[in-house]
């Protein structure tokens, strides 16, 4: 009986160790950042030929560049950007967002969810986790994009 219990215990850890280690590694690899961490960027106004307009193109500094492709966690205000359920997380509430002229493009992150997500209220304060991708050229998306985004609170 004792050897059977020992065998079951061994088999349990043999088959659950890797997922457990993976989960620990994922939690350990998450870097909690603040909005100040995203301010290491300068913008230059350039003319976009395709859209026949001037846009602000980012030149990311070394601190922000080091975050590219890393799993991050950030807290901010949720703001819907269309009727299809797409959201951004912002440093500031909706009345002070970038699109209203109250802050810069570095104060918002576009959220790209991998699975169906809930809808959030305007200015709901949430923490999101995902892979940060820097966008320097596509003017149809924000400069900061959180891929595989998920709410952690």
């Amino acid at each position: 009986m004792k050897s059977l219990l020992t065998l079951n215990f061994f088999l349990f850890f043999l088959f659950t160790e890797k997922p457990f280690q993976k989960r620990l590694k994922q939690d350990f690899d998450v870097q909690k950042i603040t909005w100040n961490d995203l301010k290491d960027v300068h913008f230059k106004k350039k003319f976009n030929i395709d859209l026949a307009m001037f846009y602000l193109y980012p030149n990311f500094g070394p601190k922000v560049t080091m975050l590219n492709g890393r799993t991050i966690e950030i807290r901010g205000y949720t703001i819907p950007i269309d009727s299809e359920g797409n959201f951004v997380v912002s440093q500031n509430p909706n009345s002070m967002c970038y699109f209203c002229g109250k802050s810069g493009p570095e104060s918002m992150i576009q959220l790209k969810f991998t699975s169906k997500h809930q809808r959030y209220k305007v200015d709901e304060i949430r923490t999101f986790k995902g892979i940060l991708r820097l966008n320097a050229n596509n003017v149809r998306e924000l400069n900061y994009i959180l891929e595989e985004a998920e709410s952690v609170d």
Side-chain angles (χ1 to χ4, degrees), residues 54-66:
F54 281 94
Y55 283 92
L56 294 175
Y57 286 86
N59 180 16
F60 300 109
K63 291 179 185 176
V64 171
T65 302
M66 288 177 56

Side-chain angles (χ1 to χ4, degrees), residues 111-128:
L111 299 172
K112 289 195 174 185
F113 298 96
T114 54
S115 60
K116 195 170 186 170
H117 61 89
Q118 71 181 46
R119 293 192 178 258
Y120 303 100
K121 296 177 184 172
V122 175
D123 293 342
E124 188 175 336
I125 299 173
R126 304 291 290 204
T127 301
F128 291 94

Side-chain angles (χ1 to χ4, degrees), residues 31-35 38 72-76 89 109 126-129 146:
Q31 184 171 350
K32 294 183 180 183
I33 67 167
T34 67
W35 292 100
L38 299 178
I72 63 143
E73 189 174 290
I74 193 159
R75 189 164 182 79
V89 61
I109 300 175
R126 304 291 290 204
T127 301
F128 291 94
K129 175 176 86 169
L146 197 62

